[in-house]
Amino acid sequence: MTTAAPIRLGISSCLLGQTVRFDGGHKRDGFLSDTFGRFVEWVPVCPEVEAGFGTPREAMRLLNDDGRLRLVTTRGAVDLTDTMVRFARGRVERLDQERLCGYVLKKDSPSCGMARVKVYDKNNVPARTGQGLFATALRARYPFLPIEEEGRLVDPRIRDNFVERVFAYRRVMDLFAVPGRSARWCTSTPPTS
Ligand code: SF4
């Protein structure tokens, strides 16, 4: 009898209690670590640490620079956009080997936030219209991957829906794991023919 491979999900490292935040802290989520974590295998990623920004580091935020979204440090206004974009593209490409069935992102982060991340204008006025730069690369590379934020998963309906999508995604991956069938459509843009 063969044992089914574990369901693997990507996750923002700080949600598992890893001390990777800008202030050296974490944002451990009890439900994800202790409950959901019993049924899945996490693949943690901290884009800001892996991109080489270090811990602790200066906090950063998204800036609307005449319509261009920039990732800048809050005090020194160091522009980290190009470094993060380059890193994110390469990192999400390498995630292809992890056979992920879903991803849980840290809300409000200028790197990981999935939606409603604050974007500041030149007058320092924030609008909740942004998406973290790593999250943007992730969603572009895997448009069908179930992705949620930990903040939304406190809602039982959203949580149940996410779990269902993860298991459905896994079933499709298993289906296309048959030799000769391509699963490329479930990790990237669907084929046109
Ligand atoms: S939100 Fe993302 S970038 Fe920020 S500490 Fe957590 S994993 Fe790292």
Side-chain angles (χ1 to χ4, degrees):
M1 189 172 75
T2 57
T3 307
I7 292 178
R8 292 164 66 78
L9 273 72
I11 188 169
S12 299
S13 305
C14 56
L15 294 175
L16 293 182
Q18 296 186 13
T19 51
V20 290
R21 296 196 78 223
F22 72 95
D23 58 1
H26 61 78
K27 282 286 181 181
R28 186 178 188 278
D29 184 288
F31 167 73
L32 295 173
S33 297
D34 303 331
T35 305
F36 201 27
R38 293 208 306 268
F39 303 100
V40 302
E41 188 173 290
W42 296 117
V43 177
V45 177
C46 176
E48 293 178 13
V49 167
E50 292 190 27
F53 301 155
T55 303
R57 57 187 173 275
E58 194 180 334
M60 50 197 80
R61 64 183 184 175
L62 294 176
L63 187 70
N64 182 349
D65 180 17
D66 287 333
R68 291 192 318 153
L69 198 62
R70 314 300 298 174
L71 177 68
V72 297
T73 60
T74 50
R75 274 181 288 114
V78 178
D79 191 334
L80 301 168
T81 313
D82 292 345
T83 304
M84 177 54 81
V85 167
R86 206 176 313 117
F87 162 79
R89 284 186 185 146
R91 188 67 173 97
V92 299
E93 198 59 45
R94 292 198 300 282
L95 284 175
D96 204 27
Q97 303 159 6
E98 304 284 0
R99 292 184 56 79
L100 300 181
C101 297
Y103 211 110
V104 182
L105 290 163
K106 173 76 187 72
K107 71 180 177 115
D108 296 335
S109 160
S111 301
C112 290
M114 185 178 83
R116 303 173 308 283
V117 179
K118 285 181 185 170
V119 179
Y120 291 81
D121 66 17
K122 287 193 170 162
N123 298 316
N124 217 19
V125 177
R128 284 199 168 272
T129 56
Q131 182 179 57
L133 297 190
F134 179 77
T136 299
L138 182 73
R139 296 180 83 182
R141 178 64 180 81
Y142 306 101
F144 304 107
L145 187 70
I147 301 176
E148 267 301 348
E149 292 184 328
E150 96 288 2
R152 283 168 47 88
L153 291 176
V154 298
D155 181 324
R157 284 179 308 134
I158 294 175
R159 195 164 64 210
D160 289 352
N161 177 271
F162 178 64
V163 171
E164 279 177 22
R165 287 189 291 136
V166 165
F167 278 86
Y169 196 90
R170 170 56 182 268
R171 283 196 294 275
V172 172
M173 285 186 85
D174 288 348
L175 179 66
F176 282 90
V178 175
R181 284 186 180 165
S182 170
R184 183 165 176 74
W185 72 269
C186 69
T187 58
S188 185
T189 308
T192 52
S193 61

